[in-house]
Amino acid sequence: MASNAAVPFLRAAGRTYITYSNICANLVRNCLKEPYNTEAIYREKVHFSISKWTDGKPEKPTVRSDSPEE
């Protein structure tokens, strides 16, 4: 959980806590040696599905797989 004292400094720098957290996570991943680096990059991928709703009912979901590298 973020400290409330850090929020004004992040906002002044034009960042949110999420962007700060992502920057820190990328730095840690880049410092890892093999095979941990490869494992961390694999876990970084995001999988999600998108469903459009028509007349109050969901249509067939579209599965997406995105990663920050793509």
Side-chain angles (χ1 to χ4, degrees):
M1 194 174 218
S3 169
N4 289 338
V7 175
F9 296 109
L10 292 173
R11 296 283 182 203
R15 303 264 184 219
T16 63
Y17 181 76
I18 296 296
T19 56
Y20 168 76
S21 175
N22 286 336
I23 291 168
C24 292
N26 284 332
L27 288 170
V28 170
R29 280 188 214 104
N30 290 336
C31 293
L32 294 173
K33 293 181 180 179
E34 290 299 334
Y36 306 110
N37 185 316
T38 306
E39 291 174 13
I41 291 172
Y42 178 74
R43 284 192 309 260
E44 186 179 7
K45 292 184 180 180
V46 177
H47 304 284
F48 59 93
S49 64
I50 300 172
S51 296
K52 291 186 180 182
W53 288 70
T54 307
D55 298 325
K57 296 182 181 179
E59 296 178 358
K60 184 178 178 184
T62 304
V63 178
R64 301 277 316 257
S65 178
D66 292 337
S67 68
E69 304 275 325
E70 294 177 353

